[in-house]
Amino acid sequence: MAAPRNESLAPPKPRAGRLGERALYEQVAEQLRSRILAHSLAPGSWIDEQALTAEYGISRTPLREALKVLAAEGLVTMKLRRGAYVTEVSARDLAEVFHLLALLESDAARVAAQKATPVELAELLAIHDELENALDDRERFFAANERFHMRLLEIADNRWRIQMVADLRKVMKLNRAQSLLKQGRLEASLKEHRQIMAALKARNAERVQALMQHHLEAGREAATLA
């Protein structure tokens, strides 16, 4: 008998007396999410369910459950009688996503400035140092930037806000290719991060809130579709 095409997607075997690992559809969703955010499944492209079930060696049931998860995250759009498509992000989508990010993350930054412990501030500074050293590597820069923003949210400690921002940032990443091409944006973003980090260290809650608001508004302008 031939081995499965992708053993990582084979249904996990639960241990005796314990619940099983993640459901198969969650593993499929993770695989597809990675491909969508990497743009190997391009925005607007049709998702060929038959090809994917053959590639992963699974039935259509876990694939369709995975597509529902991705649709709830905004990464996939379900079209009646036409199937699933990778979401295309419009200028209005970007404006609305960045507007909400600015509101949610600026408030989180204000809270973090007030309550972050010295250890937590040191963690943020370490991530900021990664940004400083990644200016010539866009992928590393964006990965460190993501960690900084999400760590700030964790320090502010509102699980509903963390989930909302995580979902909004997934949609934002669908347009990352365009924002990466904006001349001088990485340098400007780093300068904004330096100001945010300085305000955090000074425990200036009002200033860090205003700086984060400006930072995300500038990100929106850079990401705006032509």
Side-chain angles (χ1 to χ4, degrees):
M1 179 181 293
R5 297 192 182 192
N6 190 329
E7 293 183 356
S8 67
L9 293 181
K13 296 179 181 179
R15 299 177 184 177
R18 297 184 61 182
L19 294 176
E21 302 295 334
R22 290 181 307 154
L24 179 57
Y25 78 88
E26 293 177 328
Q27 299 177 57
V28 177
E30 182 177 320
Q31 292 271 341
L32 292 177
R33 186 184 297 110
S34 296
R35 292 170 71 167
I36 289 170
L37 296 180
H39 286 226
S40 59
L41 286 174
S45 63
W46 175 61
I47 297 174
D48 188 338
E49 294 185 24
Q50 185 173 352
L52 286 172
T53 55
E55 178 182 346
Y56 291 153
I58 59 174
S59 70
R60 285 203 172 186
T61 298
L63 177 60
R64 287 176 174 171
E65 290 300 313
L67 291 174
K68 290 178 183 177
V69 170
L70 298 177
E73 294 176 0
L75 298 179
V76 165
T77 300
M78 310 298 292
K79 298 184 180 181
L80 186 63
R81 293 189 292 275
R82 294 173 60 190
Y85 290 75
V86 179
T87 298
E88 290 186 276
V89 180
S90 67
R92 176 176 175 175
D93 291 329
L94 283 174
E96 292 175 348
V97 165
F98 272 97
H99 174 70
L100 290 174
L101 285 174
L103 292 174
L104 293 167
E105 294 200 37
S106 63
D107 183 66
R110 177 186 61 80
V111 174
Q114 295 170 331
K115 68 180 293 188
T117 67
V119 170
E120 289 169 335
L121 282 176
E123 290 173 356
L124 290 172
L125 182 58
I127 301 172
H128 173 77
D129 288 344
E130 290 185 51
L131 279 174
E132 295 277 5
N133 296 321
L135 193 57
D136 295 328
D137 186 333
R138 287 173 173 174
E139 291 303 317
R140 278 184 60 211
F141 187 94
F142 273 79
N145 180 69
E146 179 91 353
R147 288 198 301 277
F148 183 91
H149 282 265
M150 295 309 295
R151 186 68 189 110
L152 201 60
L153 287 161
E154 290 167 358
I155 292 168
D157 194 24
N158 182 320
R159 67 188 180 99
W160 302 107
R161 175 166 51 203
I162 291 170
Q163 184 59 56
M164 290 172 68
V165 170
D167 287 344
L168 289 167
R169 282 187 164 272
K170 289 170 189 171
V171 176
M172 181 183 68
K173 287 178 188 176
L174 290 173
N175 190 59
R176 190 172 69 175
Q178 284 87 346
S179 64
L180 283 172
L181 299 176
K182 195 78 169 183
Q183 184 67 32
R185 178 55 199 153
L186 293 190
E187 292 82 358
S189 178
L190 181 57
K191 181 179 178 180
E192 291 155 14
H193 267 270
R194 288 170 183 157
Q195 295 172 335
I196 289 168
M197 195 66 238
L200 284 167
K201 290 166 70 177
R203 303 285 184 176
N204 191 331
E206 289 73 21
R207 177 164 170 74
V208 79
Q209 182 175 19
L211 288 169
M212 184 62 79
Q213 181 94 23
H214 169 74
H215 174 59
L216 286 158
E217 288 173 353
R220 175 189 57 77
E221 292 177 7
T224 299
L225 295 170

